[in-house]
Amino acid sequence: MRWLWIDRILAIEPGERLVACKAVSLSEPHLHQHFPARGDDEALPVVPAPLIIEGMAQTGGLLAGHARGFVDDVVLAKLRRAELAFEVLPGATIEFDARLSNIDDSGASVEGTVCVQDPSWDGARKLGEIGLMFAHVPPQREGLQVAEAFRTLVSASVRAGGPGIKSFAI
Amino acid sequence: MNAHSISERLPGPFLAAGAGPDGEAMTREEIQAKVQDVLAEVLGIDEDEVTPRATLTGDLGAESIDFLDIVFRLEQAFDVKIAQGELFPENLQQDPEYVQDGALTQAGLSALREKLPHAEIDRIEDDPRLARVGEIFTVDAIISFVERKLGAAA
């Protein structure tokens, strides 16, 4: 894990389900390249689809890692499918709802639903579904440790409160 | 923000329920149809490419993570539990008795025959290099495995 791409855990059912969210900000530099103004076309800052998949991969990876006490590293190994219905703009919040469908010593599979809340809308809309496979590999010493990242997230999430996370101990 | 998931409040099933065999033992044709579904889905190919004699790695392009995906999806499709090493071999190359100079020994071939009776070991017997191990898994071999597993073999 190189960086955290999710901001908050909203709910966790250990070994089964993890819901996390990410707030999209126009201060994220990549949005200015995706897509810049060109000729007569105005700039169109939208979240690149691979980064939406990354958010689900982090949510699902933390769910799988936590299920086994972070004894292994969890590496994204396969994108089973991804169907995303619309573009996500700065100011929106993306919610990743990951469910563990299978896990063993060699890997795990996760099925996820992605929803978006945009301040301009009444209510949330379903963006799509993402299916992922993870491989369990021996822990790496470099980069952000998964367990450490998880503790950071849980700490911020517990402080924020909410029924889904309050009862959960790190 | 409500801490419960937005997706909970959306219509539609989140996950398709795993359909298991109900009551009657499945025929080999029924098993074959489901196995073809699973393999087409896992490997992202058309069902008509999944012919009985096709090999998973050589003909259908399966990679290592696909083998785990196949195990998980077969478990779901047939409502069975498949132990590690039961369908596909594990930790083979780490045993010097079974592998020498990048090829399976006679002991290794015998061990595979015993542990994986559904696999088609004969296909690599003349040239048992490790790189060829994937060839012992044809679509037929997977069907045979499921058939044994379900106790449906005649």
Side-chain angles (χ1 to χ4, degrees):
Chain A
M1 187 171 229
R2 292 176 197 277
W3 31 245
L4 263 177
W5 191 244
I6 48 182
D7 297 327
R8 185 83 65 80
I9 293 173
L10 302 179
I12 181 165
E13 297 163 33
E16 289 185 18
R17 179 167 172 242
L18 198 155
V19 186
C21 71
K22 169 176 175 53
V24 180
S25 168
L26 191 53
S27 64
E28 295 167 27
H30 53 268
L31 292 184
H32 298 272
Q33 303 301 318
H34 191 273
F35 298 91
R38 231 176 235 150
D40 291 339
D41 295 331
E42 291 176 2
L44 176 63
V46 295
V47 181
L51 290 177
I52 296 173
I53 294 167
E54 172 68 21
M56 184 59 78
Q58 294 204 0
T59 307
L62 288 174
L63 173 62
H66 180 260
R68 290 165 52 87
F70 297 110
V71 290
D72 310 298
D73 270 1
V74 181
V75 176
L76 179 62
K78 178 177 177 179
L79 176 61
R80 276 173 158 179
R81 70 197 173 98
E83 292 168 18
L84 305 173
F86 52 84
E87 285 159 346
V88 182
L89 300 164
T93 299
I94 311 175
E95 186 181 291
F96 304 100
D97 187 340
R99 291 175 195 252
L100 198 61
S101 38
N102 235 318
I103 187 163
D104 71 11
D105 287 347
S106 43
S109 63
V110 163
E111 290 294 322
T113 301
V114 190
C115 293
V116 172
Q117 298 211 75
D118 189 295
S120 305
W121 304 339
D122 287 330
R125 293 180 192 170
K126 178 174 168 177
L127 175 60
E129 298 187 351
I130 297 173
L132 302 170
M133 294 282 303
F134 297 92
H136 292 134
V137 299
Q140 309 290 308
R141 299 232 169 260
E142 291 168 18
L144 182 61
Q145 301 297 306
V146 180
E148 182 193 324
F150 186 76
R151 274 194 292 274
T152 303
L153 263 174
V154 168
S155 165
S157 306
V158 167
R159 194 170 287 256
I165 192 87
K166 204 184 287 177
S167 61
F168 179 70
I170 299 171
Chain B
M1 182 190 290
N2 188 320
H4 289 301
S5 164
I6 296 164
S7 61
E8 270 177 351
R9 305 194 292 272
L10 292 167
F14 177 72
L15 283 175
D22 38 16
E24 298 281 307
M26 295 176 80
T27 65
R28 190 172 171 98
E29 287 68 34
E30 288 167 337
I31 293 171
Q32 175 170 340
K34 267 192 164 184
V35 166
Q36 282 173 321
D37 274 354
V38 165
L39 294 177
E41 176 100 31
V42 167
L43 302 171
I45 54 179
D46 288 337
E47 247 173 77
D48 55 18
E49 289 180 64
V50 188
T51 56
R53 300 310 301 151
T55 59
L56 300 191
T57 49
D59 296 326
L60 304 182
E63 296 176 19
S64 59
I65 191 68
D66 295 321
F67 286 89
L68 183 62
D69 201 358
I70 290 167
V71 168
F72 284 171
R73 289 198 200 244
L74 288 176
E75 286 185 335
Q76 195 177 16
F78 293 97
D79 196 21
V80 292
K81 185 73 199 146
I82 301 169
Q84 273 187 282
E86 193 181 343
L87 173 55
F88 301 119
E90 62 172 350
N91 302 329
L92 200 64
Q93 56 274 54
Q94 284 158 20
D95 193 328
E97 192 196 344
Y98 293 160
V99 175
Q100 277 167 21
D101 303 326
L104 285 161
T105 60
Q106 279 306 315
L109 287 167
S110 301
L112 276 185
R113 269 186 222 282
E114 189 188 333
K115 286 183 187 165
L116 310 173
H118 50 279
E120 299 180 14
I121 315 295
D122 294 351
R123 297 176 70 101
I124 61 164
E125 203 167 20
D126 294 342
D127 178 13
R129 280 172 294 149
L130 266 188
R132 298 189 66 212
V133 166
E135 295 178 32
I136 68 179
F137 296 105
T138 58
V139 175
D140 260 342
I142 307 296
I143 298 166
S144 297
F145 171 81
V146 173
E147 199 174 34
R148 276 167 205 265
K149 189 83 186 164
L150 296 177

